[in-house]
Amino acid sequence: MTTTTAPARPWYREVGATRWRSFFAAWLGYVLDGFDFVLITLVLTEVSATFHLSTVEGASLVSAAFITRWLGGAVLGSLGDRYGRKSAMVLSILLYSLGTLACGFAWNYTSLFVARLAIGMGMAGEYGSSATYVLESWPGRLRNRASGFLISGYSVGTVIAAEVYKVVVPSLGWRWMFYLGLIPIVVALWVRRALPEAEEWQETVADRGRRPNPFRPLFATPRLAALNVLLAAAAAAALFSVFTSVAGGAVLPLSVLAGLCLLAFAVQLGGRRGWLLYASLMVTVFVAFMYSWPIQALLPTYLKEQLHYGPGQVTDVLFWAGFGTMAGCWLAGFVGDWIGTTKAYSITLVVSLAFVFPVFAVHGNLLVLGLLLFVLQALSFGISGLLPRYIGGHFPTESRAAGLGFTYNVGALGGAVAPVLGARLASGMPLGQSLAVLTFAGTLVTAALVGFDVPGRLHRRLNPDAVRDHLAPAAAEPADDADGGQPSTVSQGRPSRL
């Protein structure tokens, strides 16, 4: 008797039409996220000329978004855990869209700075809510792919912004770049109307009538609530002083103050058994930004000042770099689902080390430089597409959006520190060499932290019963319906506490 088995469906059919629509909406949010974030860098010279800003004031407009990212990630993430991923995603898109639109109507430096604060909060919420929305909607075995594909949207947004800049600004002026912030508002309204809720959150939280509040530990008593409000104000004031050069010679103590305030929040949010997880994830993300952002922030300066490239050549090189990051995010998704998140992340980072110094050794060949940057960005920066999957796996559904949003966006402060550190190193060596040294060292440390899963190991020392990966596929993941339905992907019996 001969038996036949039905051929396995391609993975993209396994996702199903409904999930693809949900993914596209979240991915489009990331595209607009990348578009909005780089706008200020593209029009900074025009803005500075309009408002007669100093170099320090102009740079502070870029840093302003970092001042509120940690707060936006925590608050909007908490809302996502309590009221749903979709609602938090829409609110985040609306917030940074309105902030971008407000930049177009800014009448002076202060109004533009405040608008940038709103953008920072919205972007932080977008990262956490969209990532958890997609991760909790896709089948467990494809969640690395979901993460990598999603993050690629940011690179697409930056490339689109650069192309729009060349068309819009010369003819209409810099304000029209920000008026385009109306587009995400339309997208947000469409998302609210058309999409279902993330199925894992729906099954774990909504269907069981549970309304978690990850912020509850911060407001357990009136005295504790008042103390935490003061800590938040102190952290914001310290970050504002550091990033706007108001601090003067007090940069180091104010940085330490901000760090201690944020650590205090991590200890309270994580609790006795989870605080070390929060703190170690914050450090891991901070180091990851330290290796990636020096090149992202200072590569154009290096190309112009050290290699003496013209604007057209710089644009060509940045195109190769951006496309490499996008391709790397796609590759990361497949490799992560193939060999596992931590292995894919760490191995790819180690391989990327072979291309760091060669990139800055090329001086006269634009094509070779572009190809090397493409490979470096794909292996080094593109692999960060797995970061939402890696961080999210450490948190249960009930606290995933707040945990991911807070730890990632606190760690993202490394993106503000890295360019400054790269510039400081360049005072004693060529800029290209300082970028190579910082990138190499940061990559090596990040590969070790992720490869050995240091945050998870430290967490299990305090909580031996902790689940290793809350986003891992269920033991018997049900097959999808032929029409692309949405089956459950929630493991039964999975602990909900850190």
Side-chain angles (χ1 to χ4, degrees), residues 4-16:
T4 59
T5 58
R9 288 191 298 160
W11 68 268
Y12 52 86
R13 291 188 179 276
E14 182 181 344
V15 174

Side-chain angles (χ1 to χ4, degrees), residues 14 32 108 118 142 187 193 198 218 253 265 298 347 372 381 393 411:
E14 182 181 344
L32 299 168
N108 57 18
L142 300 177
V187 174
R193 177 190 62 83
L218 303 182
F265 287 127
L298 297 176
I347 291 174
L372 286 174
F381 304 167

